[in-house]
Amino acid sequence: MKRSRGSAAAMVVLVGLVMILAALGCQSDKKKGITLGFSQIGAESEWRTANTKSIEEAAKAAGIELKFSDAQQKQENQIKAIRSFIAQKVDVIAFSPVVETGWEPVLREAKAAKIPVILTDRAVDTQDDSLWVTLIGSDFVEEGRRAGRWLVEKMKGHEGPVNIVELQGTVGSAPAIDRKKGFEEILKDKPNFKIIRSQTGDFTRAKGKEVMEAFLKAEGKNINVLYAHNDDMAIGAIQAIEEAGLQPAKDIVIVSIDAVKGAFEAMKAGKLNVTVECSPLLGPQLMTAVKDLMAGKALPKRIVTEEGVFPMETAAQELPKRKY
Ligand code: AHR
């Protein structure tokens, strides 16, 4: 009798133990899923909105848990978000850095916590390249060159100086620095091409319009070309040009970058001459990189997206095919 009471008690203990182990097993199963912390710059442009959507959709499709943080175009907010991802012990951190410099301390913290960091879209300027695993995104210098080459071709036969005004992207950001560099590289041995004014429009429509108004006020009809570092600023500037009584794409040749739907609509309406593609659809590539990393595979230091150039004449045919 005593013996059977003892074995009943042992059974209860055993069942209890099995239940605890099962619960622990369940928890560790849950832990097996991949968590990605992503710090986005903000929602400054049509491009950025498409980029966020691509990342959210791709994470869902890949079964990756996404912790998303919007920095509202402030570096300090991105640094806070990265620190919070480290505290939450995410598996991988990815971010699109608003500016190039000032990331070393927080990247060192991520490295010390053994959390790999992937850069998307924009580069950082660090002494130590081991602080990030890979950079997925466009070649911004080449985009600037493509804009420059298209312009040189377009202006063949133009007599006299080609006066260019430039709307730069966010000061200190990789696309603003590189797009300027690539464009100037093409024009450096063409003395009749002159950048007569250059100012930031912070990649937004509102600022693009505001700065173009100032350019027009200062230069009047002296402007032959507008080079905008993105479509949103070009679209804002088109408004300013029309309000000044001039015809965009005719009185002033307009070259911009991104190839968002808004640019194709402007080209179809005959108001923008060309857009150089910069694809925001980086989500699928990012999720593949995250999974490869978690599977222990080595990633190339640079993953470059393939892109084209779309002049006005292609707009009607291309617009229905555009995904962003
Ligand atoms: O970093 C990519 C740039 O950022 C896009 O050209 C611009 O539209 C965006 O805001």
Side-chain angles (χ1 to χ4, degrees), residues 44-45 47-48 121-122 140 175 179 203 229-230 258 278:
E44 75 282 5
S45 60
W47 189 100
R48 189 67 53 200
D121 164 35
R122 298 186 183 180
F140 297 138
R179 286 171 186 170
F203 282 129
H229 288 191
N230 83 342
D258 272 358
C278 173

Side-chain angles (χ1 to χ4, degrees), residues 217-229:
K217 216 169 165 195
E219 297 292 342
K221 292 192 174 163
N222 202 22
I223 304 169
N224 304 111
V225 176
L226 162 66
Y227 170 44
H229 288 191

Side-chain angles (χ1 to χ4, degrees), residues 25-299:
C26 243
Q27 269 178 15
S28 75
D29 272 354
K30 266 190 204 149
K31 262 232 87 156
K32 269 184 209 150
I34 302 172
T35 305
L36 167 69
F38 184 80
S39 165
Q40 180 59 289
I41 291 176
E44 75 282 5
S45 60
E46 210 178 315
W47 189 100
R48 189 67 53 200
T49 314
N51 180 244
T52 296
K53 192 167 169 251
S54 169
I55 287 162
E56 285 173 344
E57 285 176 358
K60 208 169 167 201
I64 291 175
E65 189 192 335
L66 179 69
K67 292 185 185 292
F68 183 89
S69 176
D70 177 336
Q72 307 196 338
Q73 279 180 281
K74 291 200 174 78
Q75 182 176 33
E76 69 215 62
N77 290 345
Q78 289 203 288
I79 292 173
K80 268 189 215 150
I82 295 169
R83 290 211 165 109
S84 142
F85 295 148
I86 297 171
Q88 292 174 67
K89 297 187 171 39
V90 299
D91 297 301
V92 180
I93 292 173
F95 77 115
S96 180
V98 61
V99 290
E100 285 193 339
T101 55
W103 300 103
E104 298 242 7
V106 75
L107 291 181
R108 255 185 257 117
E109 289 168 36
K111 192 175 179 184
K114 297 194 168 38
I115 302 178
V117 174
I118 296 178
L119 303 173
T120 66
D121 164 35
R122 298 186 183 180
V124 292
D125 184 0
T126 52
Q127 294 286 322
D128 178 1
D129 275 4
S130 76
L131 295 176
W132 48 277
V133 182
T134 184
L135 162 60
I136 304 171
S138 310
D139 181 340
F140 297 138
V141 179
E142 184 53 28
E143 288 172 355
R145 287 191 200 112
R146 285 179 184 150
R149 282 189 208 112
W150 182 90
L151 183 64
V152 169
E153 214 29 55
K154 167 82 181 166
M155 300 313 272
K156 258 188 188 158
H158 174 93
E159 287 181 7
V162 178
N163 292 330
I164 305 166
V165 293
E166 179 183 32
L167 281 170
Q168 292 187 41
T170 302
V171 176
S173 69
I177 296 167
D178 293 352
R179 286 171 186 170
K180 185 171 184 53
K181 188 174 163 198
F183 188 73
E184 285 177 350
E185 190 185 303
I186 299 299
L187 301 186
K188 72 173 186 301
D189 55 355
K190 316 249 169 330
N192 57 326
F193 286 78
K194 287 194 185 78
I195 299 180
I196 54 169
R197 290 198 183 246
S198 179
Q199 208 177 305
T200 180
D202 211 12
F203 282 129
T204 69
R205 283 186 194 201
K207 280 268 181 63
K209 180 170 189 264
E210 192 184 305
V211 178
M212 190 67 204
E213 279 166 359
F215 286 163
L216 286 161
K217 216 169 165 195
E219 297 292 342
K221 292 192 174 163
N222 202 22
I223 304 169
N224 304 111
V225 176
L226 162 66
Y227 170 44
H229 288 191
N230 83 342
D231 291 335
D232 279 75
M233 292 188 295
I235 292 166
I238 287 171
Q239 270 187 44
I241 294 169
E242 286 180 321
E243 283 169 21
L246 295 171
Q247 282 191 290
K250 291 187 184 76
D251 296 324
I252 297 178
V253 171
I254 308 177
V255 184
S256 81
I257 298 182
D258 272 358
V260 295
K261 276 188 185 159
F264 281 84
E265 275 150 13
M267 289 197 291
K268 230 180 127 188
K271 298 180 181 189
L272 174 71
N273 298 84
V274 68
T275 183
V276 174
E277 191 176 32
C278 173
S279 176
L281 308 178
L282 305 178
Q285 279 173 301
L286 171 60
M287 299 315 146
T288 304
V290 168
K291 284 194 166 173
D292 284 353
L293 207 55
M294 295 310 287
K297 291 188 197 162
L299 297 182

